[in-house]
């Protein structure tokens, strides 16, 4: 979807030109043991798969289990607007491998699985073949199907175990039982890449990469009505506006920006510009960084129509295992489509509120929750457009 | 589930496996105080511990589930 | 006088067993179909199904015990336990024995259901259909009242009930009645090892 390559930022360095070049640029990996876990806790590195869960705490949970763990590097990247994981895997595979091996050594794992988008696998395999230091582990690559939910933790595990990327019931959580019934660290590829760098340069180095109080740096996918879409690395705490302007800005005056992808939400463009890209600060403002997508809605686009398309997509991407998700998202998508095409029923806004409330927390995974939050953000950001459509008038854009 | 009586007292919650659940709705008939059905026949369970006077009814509701999607447990699990 | 009692008990219990078993099968089908009305809550259907099946076990036991303790039948424990192990009406009686043992398997697996896989339980539970057919054949083949009008009427009602319910289940309530689409998703969500 996005053709431009990752722009080098503060930490990830230039694109890979083979393993020996990688060692020349970054230095060799130090000897790694369980002490890396505490270093990660001190670094305040947060998971980059969307949940922003502290990486050190996650590794600690796996370490607390008695059985030998498995490392699962999650590069499925089901979010269609996001490209950061694919570009990381394709242009800097050795950073990912460093991080995955570091996790293996720190946690005493016997097996490392790379769960990747099919397009990235050929080049990644070439990089993996160069790594003699991986010989202590049973390493494998599993192709993730091209589905939105394929990157969910238990879906990844399920796919590695039984070739079906469908979420599983929790408990047990992955750190308790996952691949082959063993405690499993399911970690996003970007998180692992940073973990590998922290293993080299330390916690303080990482914290200092950020702007202000925010620690570290992170990858952002910029898309939509912008001059130069692409993936870029920015210091955490950089504002949305700074990122967009740094990549060439956008034409005109868009009304809204989608932050975090379909698992994030719409924000008014003027408000969005000032938001710092730091998961903690954003959460405090009721907004999510998610997988780091910044998507700019073109000027004049209709928020109701765009939202209807997204909900329809999310409904069609259901794993179809839980009633509230299958029927709830279908009902919401149908109502949104009717609203968007000027055929609103008088009860529609009430139904949207009730159904989005009803489906929260009632699936085996967070898919219905994500859709409900997305829908809430749309109602909050496009109140006028919704009012117009509810009155069965089409707004200027839609007619 | 076919339950064995617990060894100690403790807060018990009705937990559901959302994947197994097929919307039969028998649980809502037998424990309407804590379980109601959404627009599509799937259970919405009141969060929080089961009041002691409803524990017997909760067990009956759990045993009635044709797909064994419900269980009574302390939240630590 | 004593033997007559046993003889009548065997036949009576046998007839009751057939009626109960047929009712249980129909209730099982209705449970799957989520049968319920305003005055018949849905939980009653599987609950009645379960309770009647346990009652049926008791009645069948009476039927078997009275049959083998009756001195006139010359049936021993072997006939009750080994299918087709009796000398008297070997085939038809054997069907009854087999049917009874399958029923025990169905009930035993249902009692330990939480510890069995969903597939195992379901597979054994489906043997209820051949089990019922064998029970009907047994009662018509060995039953001493088989030719009596009232026995034939009962048999017709039982057969009509079960075949009607089964036909309805297969033709109208088959596949994915709720419309969840699980099978469709499983086809679309596969990855591959490399």
């Amino acid at each position: 979807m996005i053709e431009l390559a990752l722009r080098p930022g503060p930490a990830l360095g230039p694109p890979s030109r083979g393993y020996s070049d990688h060692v020349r640029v970054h230095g060799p990996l130090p000897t790694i043991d369980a002490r890396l876990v505490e270093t990660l806790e001190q670094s305040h590195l947060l998971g980059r798969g969307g949940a922003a869960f502290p990486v050190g705490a996650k590794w600690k949970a796996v370490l607390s289990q008695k059985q030998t763990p498995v490392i699962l590097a999650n590069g499925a990247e089901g979010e269609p607007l996001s490209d950061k994981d694919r570009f990381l895997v394709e242009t800097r595979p050795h950073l990912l491998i460093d991080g995955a091996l570091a996790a293996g050594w720190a946690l005493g794992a016997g097996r490392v699985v790379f769960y990747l988008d099919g397009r990235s696998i050929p080049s990644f395999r070439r990089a993996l073949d160069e790594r003699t230091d991986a010989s202590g582990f049973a390493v494998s690559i599993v192709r993730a199907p091209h589905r939105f939910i394929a990157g969910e933790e238990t879906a990844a595990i399920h796919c590695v175990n039984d070739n079906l990327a469908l979420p599983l019931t929790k408990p047990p959580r992955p750190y308790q039982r996952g691949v082959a019934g063993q405690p499993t660290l399911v970690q996003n590829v970007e998180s692992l890449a940073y973990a590998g760098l922290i293993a080299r340069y330390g916690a303080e180095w990482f914290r200092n990469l950020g702007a202000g109080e925010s620690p570290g740096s992170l990858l952002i996918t910029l898309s939509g009505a912008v001059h130069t879409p692409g993936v870029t690395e920015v210091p955490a705490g950089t504002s949305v506006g700074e990122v967009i302007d740094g990549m060439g800005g956008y034409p005109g005056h868009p009304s809204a920006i989608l932050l975090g992808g379909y698992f994030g939400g719409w924000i008014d463009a003027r408000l969005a510009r000032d938001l710092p890209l730091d998961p903690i600060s954003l959460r405090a403002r009721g907004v999510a960084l998610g997988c780091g997508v910044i998507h700019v809605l073109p000027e004049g686009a209709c928020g109701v129509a765009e939202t209807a398309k997204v909900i329809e997509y999310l409904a069609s991407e259901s794993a179809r295992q839980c009633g509230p998700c299958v029927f709830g998202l279908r009902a919401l998508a149908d109502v949104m489509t009717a609203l968007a095409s000027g055929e609103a029923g008088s009860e529609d806004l009430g139904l949207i509120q009730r159904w989005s409330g009803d489906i929260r927390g009632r699936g085996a995974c967070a898919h219905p929750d994500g859709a409900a939050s997305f829908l809430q953000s749309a109602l909050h950001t496009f109140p006028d457009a919704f009012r117009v459509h509810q009155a069965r008038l089409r707004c200027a854009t839609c007619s | 589930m076919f339950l064995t009586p617990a060894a100690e007292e403790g807060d018990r919650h009705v937990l559901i496996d959302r994947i197994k659940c097929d919307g039969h709705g028998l649980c809502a008939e037998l424990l309407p105080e804590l379980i109601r059905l959404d627009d599509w026949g799937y259970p919405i369970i009141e969060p929080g511990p089961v009041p002691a006077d409803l524990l017997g009814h909760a067990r009956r509701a759990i045993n009635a589930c044709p797909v064994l999607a419900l269980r009574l447990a302390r939240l630590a699990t | 006088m004593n033997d007559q009692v046993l003889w009548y008990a065997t036949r009576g219990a046998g007839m009751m067993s057939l009626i109960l078993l047929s009712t249980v099968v129909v209730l099982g089908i209705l449970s799957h179909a989520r049968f319920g009305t305003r005055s018949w809550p849905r939980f009653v259907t599987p609950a009645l199904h379960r309770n009647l099946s346990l009652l049926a076990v008791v009645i069948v036991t009476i039927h078997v015990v009275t049959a083998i303790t009756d001195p006139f039948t010359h049936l021993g424990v072997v006939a009750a336990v080994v299918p087709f192990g009796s000398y008297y009406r070997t085939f038809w009686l054997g069907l009854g024995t087999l049917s009874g043992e399958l029923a025990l398997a169905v009930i035993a697996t249902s009692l330990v259901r939480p510890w069995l896989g969903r597939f195992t339980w379901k597979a054994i539970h489906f043997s209820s259909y051949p089990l019922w057919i064998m029970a009907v054949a047994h009662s018509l083949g060995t039953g001493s009242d088989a030719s009596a009008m009232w026995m034939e009427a009962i048999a017709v009602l039982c057969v009509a009930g079960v075949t009607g319910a089964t036909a309805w289940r297969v033709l109208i309530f088959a596949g994915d009645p709720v419309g969840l689409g699980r099978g469709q998703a499983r086809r679309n969500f596969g990855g591959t090892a490399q």
Side-chain angles (χ1 to χ4, degrees), chain B residues 56-77:
Chain B
H57 292 289
R59 289 203 171 95
R60 279 183 66 202
I62 285 163
N63 286 338
C65 178
V67 294
L68 306 182
L70 293 171
R71 63 191 175 102
L72 200 61
R74 274 180 287 272
L75 266 187
T77 51

Side-chain angles (χ1 to χ4, degrees), chain A residues 125 141 143 163 165 319-321, chain C residues 180 182 185 189 191-192 194:
Chain A
R125 182 177 283 116
I141 303 175
R143 182 177 67 80
N163 206 30
R320 308 197 74 85
Q321 302 189 111
Chain C
L180 204 63
R182 280 209 181 102
F189 277 69
T192 44
Q194 298 285 308

Side-chain angles (χ1 to χ4, degrees), chain C residues 43-127:
Chain C
F43 77 83
V44 172
T45 317
L48 201 56
H49 168 79
R50 251 177 250 170
N51 292 344
L52 286 185
S53 66
L54 294 175
L55 179 62
V57 171
V58 173
I59 304 296
V60 166
T61 307
I62 293 173
H63 170 72
V64 171
V65 167
T66 53
I68 60 181
T69 53
D70 188 341
F72 273 114
T73 61
H74 304 288
L75 291 169
V77 175
V78 173
V81 168
V82 180
F84 314 109
S86 83
Y87 294 105
Y88 171 74
R89 300 199 193 179
T90 311
F91 178 68
W92 301 107
L93 203 110
L95 283 180
T97 313
L98 194 52
S99 170
E101 286 173 354
L102 273 177
L104 283 177
V106 169
I107 289 184
T109 49
S110 286
L111 288 174
V112 298
R113 191 175 167 191
W115 294 279
L116 288 175
R118 191 172 184 160
F119 186 73
T120 315
W121 175 83
K122 212 166 184 167
I124 296 183
H125 217 78
F126 261 83
S127 66

Side-chain angles (χ1 to χ4, degrees), chain A residues 125 141-143 145 147 149 163-166 319-321 326-327, chain C residues 178-182 184-194:
Chain A
R125 182 177 283 116
I141 303 175
V142 172
R143 182 177 67 80
R147 310 302 309 220
I149 210 79
N163 206 30
L164 265 182
L166 296 172
R320 308 197 74 85
Q321 302 189 111
V326 173
F327 300 115
Chain C
V178 178
L180 204 63
R182 280 209 181 102
Q184 165 199 336
R186 291 178 89 86
R187 280 190 291 279
N188 293 336
F189 277 69
T192 44
Q194 298 285 308

Side-chain angles (χ1 to χ4, degrees), chain A residues 83 107 199 366:
Chain A
D83 257 309
L107 301 178

